[in-house]
Amino acid sequence: MSSQFHQPVDAAKVPRFAGHSTFMRLPVVDTAKDLDIALVGIPWDGGTTNRAGARHGPREVRNQSSLMRRAHHVTGIQPFSVANVADVGDLTVNPIDLQDSLKSIEDGIRAIVEEAAIPLAVGGDHLITLPILRAVSSGRKLGLIHFDAHSDTNDRYFGDNLYTHGTPFRRAIEEGLLDPKRIVQIGIRGSIYETGEHDWAKAQGVRIIYMEEFVRRGAEDVMKEAVRIIGDMPTYVTFDIDSIDPSMAPGTGTPEIGGFSTREAQQMVRLLSDVNIVGADVVEVAPPFDVGNVTALAGATMLFELLCIVAGQVAARR
Ligand SMILES: [Mn+2]
């Protein structure tokens, strides 16, 4: 079965520091035709309200993803043997036009979904998740598992600007892309603009698991609740790298101390195998703030963790 699928460049023949820089050292293809899973870059940070730089995320995550190997050491899943996966390149974006970019990101993701492939996107700032959800939802209200230091459910910034990386999930709820009662946010922490900033989200039914609760209960207990809330209906998974502590992932625009260890993040994603995942992303890796590429490595590794989970689901459905 595996021979018909795209394979990473053989590390025993071409060393992992050589060759083209692509996600997981896979071939780059023009479309998602015949793919089960499309790895796609979205190099756009036009929704960033403070320290920009996530536009450089996809390129550096591709670079660090050369450190990934073929098999998951815990689950034994070999994603490239059980699913057809490739790098479909970067979506076209416009660094000086927000609405134009949102439109082209939505169109690019829709082209992937129309080929019946599952998009695994690398950002880019967190606003990219809004146009992704517009394309992936296809008239359904999706569930959302959201790892982040921030709720990203604010209303508006700098006057009446509705679209920033602090607002995507408010807009997604308003647009009917998400069922707020099937949204679980995990890892939320840090100072907020004002007391009650999360009240709107909570009133919609969003379950916010603050970092303090996570520390008290642990990953397994928290994820058990998250999976129960989400149920078996279609769900999107979004992983903001700033959910990880800045001591382990400093290369991001809005760092907050007191975050997940990379090990806790891996543990949580591995508990998603029963979730009906229709798409996922890793966002907010900002290489200009990185140190020794550790944040891009964390991003690439979380992408591999998500890939293994989704590939396992593809295989189970086949
Ligand atoms: Mn975020």
Side-chain angles (χ1 to χ4, degrees):
M1 181 201 265
S2 65
S3 61
Q4 73 203 47
F5 295 156
H6 296 295
Q7 295 298 307
V9 175
D10 188 343
K13 292 185 177 138
V14 182
R16 289 189 287 160
F17 50 82
H20 298 294
S21 183
T22 67
F23 289 126
M24 311 295 163
R25 307 183 88 217
L26 287 161
V28 175
V29 297
D30 290 336
T31 76
K33 190 169 168 5
D34 299 326
L35 297 185
D36 298 304
I37 300 167
L39 302 178
V40 58
I42 307 181
W44 186 78
D45 60 14
T48 302
T49 53
N50 190 359
R51 307 193 306 168
R55 66 181 64 181
H56 305 291
R59 187 164 284 184
E60 199 50 40
V61 170
R62 280 191 177 89
N63 190 11
Q64 296 304 314
S65 76
S66 67
L67 285 154
M68 302 302 115
R69 301 183 186 83
R70 284 166 187 262
H72 195 282
H73 78 285
V74 177
T75 61
I77 288 173
Q78 301 190 96
F80 314 112
S81 301
V82 298
N84 200 18
V85 192
D87 183 337
V88 297
D90 286 339
L91 298 185
T92 304
V93 293
N94 181 341
I96 55 165
D97 191 326
L98 187 147
Q99 289 300 339
D100 185 36
S101 294
L102 296 188
K103 181 74 173 64
S104 61
I105 293 167
E106 179 182 347
D107 291 347
I109 296 295
R110 184 166 286 117
I112 291 170
V113 172
E114 282 174 355
E115 294 290 357
I118 296 172
L120 290 192
V122 175
D125 74 40
H126 221 154
L127 185 54
I128 67 162
T129 306
L130 178 64
I132 294 175
L133 290 171
R134 286 171 177 165
V136 173
S137 66
S138 310
R140 309 165 292 186
K141 279 186 200 277
L142 301 175
L144 182 75
I145 301 234
H146 177 190
F147 301 100
D148 206 320
H150 314 99
S151 171
D152 296 349
T153 51
N154 284 328
D155 190 17
R156 51 193 78 203
Y157 282 72
F158 310 117
D160 277 334
N161 285 291
L162 295 167
Y163 301 97
T164 79
H165 70 161
T167 65
F169 302 107
R170 186 151 179 158
R171 298 290 92 82
I173 292 169
E174 290 170 347
E175 293 180 23
L177 312 174
L178 296 173
D179 174 0
K181 295 185 171 55
R182 293 179 55 241
I183 298 178
V184 184
Q185 302 186 319
I186 310 166
I188 310 305
R189 64 185 186 278
S191 59
I192 44 183
Y193 291 108
E194 56 191 345
T195 310
E197 184 174 310
H198 301 146
D199 287 355
W200 183 88
K202 289 175 186 168
Q204 309 304 306
V206 175
R207 172 73 169 107
I208 299 182
I209 299 175
Y210 290 93
M211 185 54 82
E212 292 71 21
E213 181 179 350
F214 173 86
V215 170
R216 225 165 34 238
R217 294 173 58 189
E220 225 164 292
D221 195 37
V222 159
M223 292 311 291
K224 207 171 285 176
E225 182 191 346
V227 170
R228 184 173 49 70
I229 290 171
I230 291 298
D232 57 4
M233 298 294 280
T235 296
Y236 191 84
V237 179
T238 187
F239 190 93
D240 190 322
I241 204 75
D242 73 24
S243 64
I244 295 175
D245 193 83
S247 63
M248 294 187 178
T252 195
T254 319
E256 307 286 354
I257 70 165
F260 299 133
S261 66
T262 45
R263 195 164 52 203
E264 288 166 335
Q266 289 174 294
Q267 189 186 358
M268 283 188 284
V269 168
R270 290 170 194 167
L271 293 170
L272 293 175
S273 54
D274 291 334
V275 173
N276 179 2
I277 300 173
V278 295
D281 60 46
V282 176
V283 297
E284 298 283 356
V285 172
F289 302 111
D290 208 358
V291 178
N293 303 321
V294 293
T295 312
L297 174 62
T301 309
M302 294 315 298
L303 182 68
F304 183 74
E305 293 280 355
L306 286 163
L307 171 63
C308 288
I309 288 290
V310 174
Q313 295 177 353
V314 167
R317 279 196 294 269
R318 212 184 294 280

